[in-house]
Amino acid sequence: MRAAIAGLALLGAGSSCVNDNSLCPEDQPGYRDGNDVWLSLSITNYEPGPARASRATDPEGHPEEVSTPDENYIDTDDVTLMLLDGNGLVMKVFGRDEFVVSETSGTTDNDRRDYDLKFKVNRAYFGSATTGNISFRLLMVANSRGTDDAAPQTFGPDLFAYNVPRLAALHRSFSYTGTTAGAQPWTPSIAAGRHIPMAGIRSYTVSATALDAATDAAAPLTLTDPIEMQRAMAKIRVIDNIAGDASNPWEERITSVSLRGASSRGSFIPESTNWITQTYEVEDATWEADWYNAADVRALTAPVTEAGQFEGRPYMLGYVTECHSTVFDPNKDTVPVLVITTTNNAGVTKTHEVRLTDFKDPGVRALSRNHVYEFVVSKNWQAQIEVNWTACDWNTAETNVGFN
């Protein structure tokens, strides 16, 4: 949390309409500058698992996995907030000086970071009704520069009256090469300033009376439901089930793993018929075909062993942007490939290549955001290595990044 954003610094609201569209609230009769209302809400990481009341937003029923603080982190200086009307049309893209994100006092758990989000907006953006209920949506994008992309394709005031599918179809994106400045595999790190891009959306209904009463910055209208932020990357884990195998005659082990076939960019907002009124699990990628290169390589981390994890077996991690199902055609050469290198105590090194379409029932159909793809590598000592895999939800369990 940077001290620079701890204080309240909300300046005059700028127009979200830059194309002389007559539907813009600023162009309507009766619009008054300074006629502002204040709202506040919390933001959490997307949790499709037991923390939610139902599994409705994850029809595939993936198993869940706890995430880490580095995977959850939101850079509060790198946030875009959009207001949509009840029909899902963008009414306003907030300037960074029009909302405040501050850390909740009393947060002591090192794995948690709780935040408050407070913003003001001219009352005209909610229409002229003074009775009954008012519906709207909030859409947020975070960590747009989290992959060291100094100039990501972000969202500006030219998006007035866009709906969510149209926003998603723009494929606004961040660049990603899979390496850090030192040519090491990219991993999220709070300390190093590497953060996973995220997006989330939530629908709200409030009474006009409550909205009209929220004119004091010290007493904002509190929206009880949080926006759930969903990571725009997939995570790959490879577990070495060869090392430590009692049948391993030469103490063979995995020394490196890479993924050959990857995308150079990742979209912020997913294209999904479900991802319109709330954050929803998606099973395919949002991308442009020319982002993908079958020769691009994404290295995983060096093998690590962590007490209490994976029965003490070494594992490697990688973070990648999405890959669309169209490249997972077993009849094409574009299929992503796991390249696994093993070494034994006799100094013999071997390279094994496993096409991700070789897995059956159900098979890897895409690399989708907010999923963990886990591969367990074993070996039949009379033949070749064997790889089994699982796709998991990437939720937070007890590790929450929430704006509470």
Side-chain angles (χ1 to χ4, degrees):
M1 176 61 61
R2 292 175 171 81
I5 55 93
L8 190 64
L10 293 176
L11 304 180
S15 170
S16 285
C17 312
V18 296
N19 56 2
D20 294 328
N21 190 319
S22 63
L23 296 178
C24 183
E26 283 86 347
D27 296 335
Q28 302 307 304
Y31 180 88
R32 291 186 293 113
D33 282 331
N35 183 28
D36 299 322
V37 290
W38 293 80
L39 299 90
S40 67
L41 68 149
S42 63
I43 298 179
T44 67
N45 282 104
Y46 179 71
E47 295 186 5
R52 294 177 57 83
S54 75
R55 298 285 290 165
T57 56
D58 179 25
E60 295 290 322
H62 300 306
E64 298 85 34
E65 173 168 316
V66 175
S67 54
T68 69
D70 289 319
E71 294 167 344
N72 293 338
Y73 183 78
I74 292 174
D75 180 358
T76 54
D77 280 343
D78 187 7
V79 172
T80 298
L81 180 65
M82 289 176 259
L83 173 68
L84 288 64
D85 68 11
N87 294 316
L89 301 180
V90 174
M91 298 299 292
K92 181 177 180 63
V93 180
F94 289 83
R96 188 58 189 87
D97 59 352
E98 297 179 285
F99 60 94
V100 166
V101 182
S102 58
E103 188 170 5
T104 302
S105 60
T107 301
T108 57
D109 188 335
N110 290 333
D111 286 348
R112 290 181 54 121
R113 278 176 172 78
D114 293 334
Y115 302 88
D116 291 320
L117 169 66
K118 181 161 63 174
F119 65 94
K120 72 173 181 179
V121 60
N122 194 287
R123 176 62 174 82
Y125 278 93
F126 299 99
S128 58
T130 58
T131 60
N133 291 328
I134 295 174
S135 296
F136 60 94
R137 305 174 201 175
L138 291 172
L139 191 154
M140 178 171 281
V141 173
N143 300 340
S144 64
R145 300 185 300 273
T147 60
D148 303 322
D149 188 350
Q153 300 172 355
T154 51
F155 303 87
D158 58 329
L159 303 176
F160 181 76
Y162 277 54
N163 60 19
V164 178
R166 189 179 176 192
L167 278 178
L170 292 174
H171 295 169
R172 295 282 169 88
S173 60
F174 56 95
S175 66
Y176 179 76
T177 62
T179 59
T180 64
Q184 298 298 314
W186 190 95
T187 56
S189 168
I190 297 172
R194 299 190 300 269
H195 316 308
I196 298 174
M198 303 180 187
I201 188 170
R202 172 70 78 173
S203 299
Y204 296 97
T205 299
V206 300
S207 73
T209 302
L211 188 64
D212 286 330
T215 57
D216 187 348
L221 174 59
T222 300
L223 306 176
T224 56
D225 293 325
I227 299 177
E228 296 178 304
M229 300 299 286
Q230 187 179 64
R231 301 170 193 85
M233 284 186 179
K235 178 179 177 179
I236 294 175
R237 179 188 298 112
V238 175
I239 298 175
D240 183 356
N241 207 29
I242 299 173
D245 186 341
S247 301
N248 187 341
W250 294 98
E251 296 187 20
E252 190 171 355
R253 58 203 175 273
I254 297 174
T255 54
S256 69
V257 178
S258 60
L259 179 73
R260 188 175 70 236
S263 298
S264 61
R265 303 194 68 86
S267 291
F268 292 112
I269 299 175
E271 290 182 288
S272 168
T273 55
N274 294 315
W275 212 98
I276 293 176
T277 59
Q278 66 171 330
T279 308
Y280 197 98
E281 198 68 48
V282 294
E283 298 299 329
D284 207 346
T286 298
W287 77 336
E288 294 184 6
D290 60 3
W291 294 352
Y292 182 79
N293 187 332
D296 278 359
V297 174
R298 301 288 182 262
L300 275 60
T301 61
V304 296
T305 304
E306 188 176 351
Q309 292 292 322
F310 315 116
E311 300 178 354
R313 293 171 291 177
Y315 66 94
M316 292 128 280
L317 294 176
Y319 298 81
V320 297
T321 44
E322 296 179 294
C323 282
H324 197 270
S325 57
T326 54
V327 305
F328 285 78
D329 183 340
N331 298 314
K332 294 182 178 180
D333 294 331
T334 59
V335 175
V337 176
L338 278 180
V339 181
I340 303 169
T341 301
T342 61
T343 301
N344 64 22
N345 283 355
V348 177
T349 298
K350 295 181 180 180
T351 299
H352 313 263
E353 296 192 356
V354 182
R355 289 163 55 94
L356 297 192
T357 51
D358 290 346
F359 302 106
K360 308 299 180 184
D361 300 326
V364 182
R365 299 188 295 264
L367 293 178
S368 304
R369 68 182 59 211
N370 213 58
H371 285 63
V372 181
Y373 295 86
E374 181 176 286
F375 302 88
V376 180
V377 181
S378 303
K379 185 168 183 177
N380 178 342
W381 299 101
Q382 311 304 317
Q384 295 295 317
I385 67 170
E386 300 174 351
V387 183
N388 294 314
W389 78 285
T390 303
C392 308
D393 287 326
W394 194 355
N395 73 10
T396 66
E398 296 179 356
T399 303
N400 296 314
V401 172
F403 298 100
N404 293 318

